[in-house]
Amino acid sequence: MKKLFYLFVITLSAAVYSCKEKETDPWREMADVYNAIVAPVFPDRDFIMTNYHNPADTLYTEAIRKAIEHCAAEGGGRVVIPDGEFLTGPVRLRSRVNLHLADGARLLFVTDPHLFDVVRTRIEGIDCYNLSPLIYAYEETHIAITGNGVMDGQASEDNWFGRARRMRQTQPDGTRTDEKSVLYQMKADQTPFEERIFRGEEGIRPQFINLYKCRDVLLEGFTLLRSPFWLIHPLLSENVTVRGVKMISHGNNNDGCDPESCKNVLIEGCYFDTGDDCIAIKSGRDEDGRFWNIPCENIIVRDCVMKDGHAGVAIGSEVTGGCYNVWVENCRMDSPRLDRVIRIKSSAERGGEVKNVYVRRIEVGECRQSVLGMELKYWGVTDGPYPPYFHNIHLEHITSNKSQYVMHLDGFDDKIRVRDIYVKNCAFNGVAHPDIHMIVGVENIRFDHVSVNGQEYEGIYD
């Protein structure tokens, strides 16, 4: 009996030590999450899209649909887009299907909104029915888009971005407004989801790829150009791998990859040159976010290159459901048009808790504003019932050659809603405001072996 007791004590002590060790090494936890994210595999069967094409069709929409449906009915495999240029409408993915673009494949998407079905999705964290994303999947498992080909949304001022097309909604006073403003008002009025319907000419610009409530996803190798809206939008999905994808698109709201209310997401080896945030992690907006209350958690970003964009990696602003456990490592960010390296944003109308953000080994050539930016008064909202809370943010082994500030942390004047920021083994050079500058409403920032313009910067900022 005494031996069993000692064995129990030893086992318990080992478990406690293991837990403490894990708590002090979040990168070990990242390794566990990384190993848990497993890309789907598919049967070794190919379905060549052009074999399903009717020469009388000017579009390849129906050929792609037939190939995908046949592949799914046969138990899965690859639907191959061969070398060549093909014009298509929106594509709907099915379970166990890998849409594969050959090296010389170029898939061009139509811009006529009347050719788009209406599907359930979210636009900027707000639930609605809208024009189908260019590629869409709903409640599918084991799906993929792979290959080195190109997909071009063809968005421009002549179609999706044109002011004449956007300003089609008529207000009660007779003035014209855009579709997103109408959706914002529907959210504020708590209009039921089923009644928020946008179609045809009054449809909101759709995402390029939207994977809604999907599991076991692989996106790998291809290039995305000229998206009408966000480029890659996994929504309420789990076990998602985005690897080696090039995202080049400079239109309005052209975020690169926006996992929203997702769990276990890997973004690895990607290239971003975008008109908005390169990566923006989200979890719903305002009333809709509080209705679902589903966080985004266990997000890994590694070995990526970020060029233009509002931020290299952003969290928010639609982060009402919260965001937990984000790891960013081994990335290169460099552009005078990259505003911030790491950005966390929300407001007191939006709320949301962001915790456990770990960033290391980031090489910054230059950015326009700051290496770390936080905005708790996003869109100028200075007060409200749901103040966000950001805490436990770690930066280590970051080098930067040019920025306005090291930190630009715009919190609340009358309360502390940002705590526990740790900066370690970093060198920030070419800083225009070397006093760190903008820090409001923040408690407990710790600097350890940090230099700013060659001068040591140590200690605690409270």
Side-chain angles (χ1 to χ4, degrees):
M1 180 65 72
K2 186 180 291 186
K3 183 177 181 180
L4 289 174
F5 174 76
Y6 286 140
L7 181 60
F8 170 77
V9 170
I10 292 170
T11 303
L12 181 62
S13 299
V16 170
Y17 176 80
S18 176
C19 289
K20 287 183 177 179
E21 186 177 31
K22 191 171 184 179
E23 286 176 358
T24 58
D25 186 6
W27 297 100
R28 179 173 295 180
E29 183 180 356
M30 186 207 76
D32 293 340
V33 173
Y34 184 87
N35 291 331
I37 301 172
V38 179
V41 295
F42 300 86
D44 187 17
R45 286 190 291 263
D46 283 353
F47 301 79
I48 310 302
M49 178 273 293
T50 47
N51 292 342
Y52 299 83
H53 179 60
N54 181 346
D57 290 341
T58 57
L59 301 179
Y60 284 81
T61 311
E62 187 65 10
I64 295 171
R65 186 194 67 79
K66 287 180 177 179
I68 288 174
E69 295 296 342
H70 188 193
C71 177
E74 292 293 317
R78 294 197 316 176
V79 169
V80 178
I81 309 298
D83 292 348
E85 186 172 282
F86 308 100
L87 184 65
T88 182
V91 172
R92 182 96 177 231
L93 288 181
R94 299 296 183 188
S95 296
R96 302 179 300 280
V97 173
N98 174 7
L99 181 66
H100 181 80
L101 292 98
D103 291 354
R106 190 176 185 91
L107 205 56
L108 281 71
F109 288 84
V110 297
T111 59
D112 181 353
H114 297 102
L115 298 178
F116 287 67
D117 293 335
V118 172
V119 300
R120 184 162 188 165
T121 184
R122 280 188 194 171
I123 298 294
E124 293 186 349
I126 304 173
D127 291 88
C128 64
Y129 288 84
N130 188 42
L131 302 178
S132 171
L134 308 189
I135 298 181
Y136 179 72
Y138 181 76
E139 293 187 338
E140 307 288 354
T141 62
H142 284 78
I143 56 175
I145 307 171
T146 63
N148 297 322
V150 174
M151 293 190 287
D152 187 347
Q154 302 198 100
S156 73
E157 291 292 336
D158 295 328
N159 44 69
W160 294 115
F161 297 123
R163 178 175 174 81
R165 188 214 164 268
R166 290 186 292 111
M167 304 297 287
R168 287 182 176 273
Q169 297 280 352
T170 303
Q171 298 283 65
D173 62 1
T175 60
R176 308 288 282 182
T177 189
D178 63 280
E179 308 88 5
K180 284 203 300 179
S181 296
V182 174
L183 179 61
Y184 299 158
Q185 191 60 50
M186 286 179 169
K187 171 192 65 66
D189 294 340
Q190 298 186 29
T191 302
F193 298 160
E194 306 297 326
E195 297 177 18
R196 305 174 186 176
I197 302 173
F198 297 83
R199 57 165 54 93
E201 291 289 351
E202 295 186 347
I204 301 170
R205 289 176 288 121
Q207 310 96 317
F208 206 126
I209 299 173
N210 177 212
L211 310 173
Y212 190 169
K213 293 185 179 179
C214 294
R215 291 181 57 93
D216 307 330
V217 174
L218 172 64
L219 306 176
E220 184 172 37
F222 53 87
T223 297
L224 294 180
L225 305 176
R226 297 193 293 177
S227 176
F229 192 62
W230 294 352
L231 278 71
I232 297 177
H233 182 203
L235 172 60
L236 289 163
S237 294
E238 186 170 344
N239 190 33
V240 176
T241 299
V242 184
R243 179 183 292 125
V245 177
K246 296 181 181 66
M247 289 162 257
I248 305 169
S249 192
H250 278 262
N252 298 333
N253 311 113
N254 272 185
D255 291 6
C257 185
D258 288 21
E260 182 172 2
S261 297
C262 290
K263 184 175 182 180
N264 289 4
V265 177
L266 171 64
I267 305 169
E268 182 175 46
C270 293
Y271 176 84
F272 298 88
D273 183 0
T274 57
D276 210 310
D277 296 326
C278 297
I279 295 171
I281 303 165
K282 301 177 182 290
S283 59
R285 177 173 180 153
D286 305 349
E287 295 89 339
D288 287 15
R290 284 184 282 277
F291 176 85
W292 295 107
N293 195 31
I294 298 175
C296 216
E297 56 184 327
N298 296 349
I299 313 298
I300 300 173
V301 179
R302 26 191 339 258
D303 302 321
C304 292
V305 174
M306 287 82 167
K307 193 182 175 187
D308 289 1
H310 291 179
V313 176
I315 302 173
S317 66
E318 302 91 345
V319 70
T320 301
C323 177
Y324 316 133
N325 308 332
V326 176
W327 296 272
V328 183
E329 67 171 352
N330 302 333
C331 293
R332 166 75 178 170
M333 308 187 189
D334 184 12
S335 174
R337 292 173 296 277
L338 178 68
D339 290 342
R340 307 158 189 86
V341 173
I342 304 296
R343 182 187 192 190
I344 307 176
K345 49 183 175 172
S346 186
S347 75
E349 289 180 348
R350 202 146 295 173
E353 179 186 20
V354 176
K355 67 177 180 180
N356 305 340
V357 178
Y358 306 98
V359 184
R360 71 176 179 180
R361 295 200 294 265
I362 306 298
E363 184 181 344
V364 182
E366 66 174 301
C367 64
R368 194 201 311 256
Q369 191 201 69
S370 58
V371 176
L372 176 63
M374 292 187 184
E375 299 150 84
L376 285 79
K377 297 173 286 190
Y378 192 64
W379 274 18
V381 177
T382 58
D383 197 13
Y386 305 102
Y389 182 36
F390 307 154
H391 61 113
N392 198 30
I393 316 297
H394 295 249
L395 309 178
E396 58 180 297
H397 295 289
I398 296 176
T399 61
S400 176
N401 293 327
K402 186 178 180 181
S403 64
Q404 286 293 306
Y405 319 115
V406 174
M407 295 182 176
H408 193 277
L409 312 181
D410 189 12
F412 299 108
D413 295 321
D414 58 343
K415 50 183 169 283
I416 300 296
R417 301 296 294 176
V418 179
R419 288 187 174 88
D420 305 331
I421 299 175
Y422 305 94
V423 187
K424 181 178 180 181
N425 297 328
C426 295
F428 306 107
N429 295 308
V431 180
H433 299 277
D435 57 351
I436 305 294
H437 199 64
M438 178 71 175
I439 299 177
V440 175
V442 183
E443 181 178 85
N444 189 29
I445 306 177
R446 295 174 179 260
F447 299 95
D448 182 7
H449 291 88
V450 173
S451 67
V452 179
N453 293 346
Q455 300 296 313
E456 289 297 314
Y457 201 98
E458 300 278 337
I460 302 174
Y461 182 100
D462 272 313

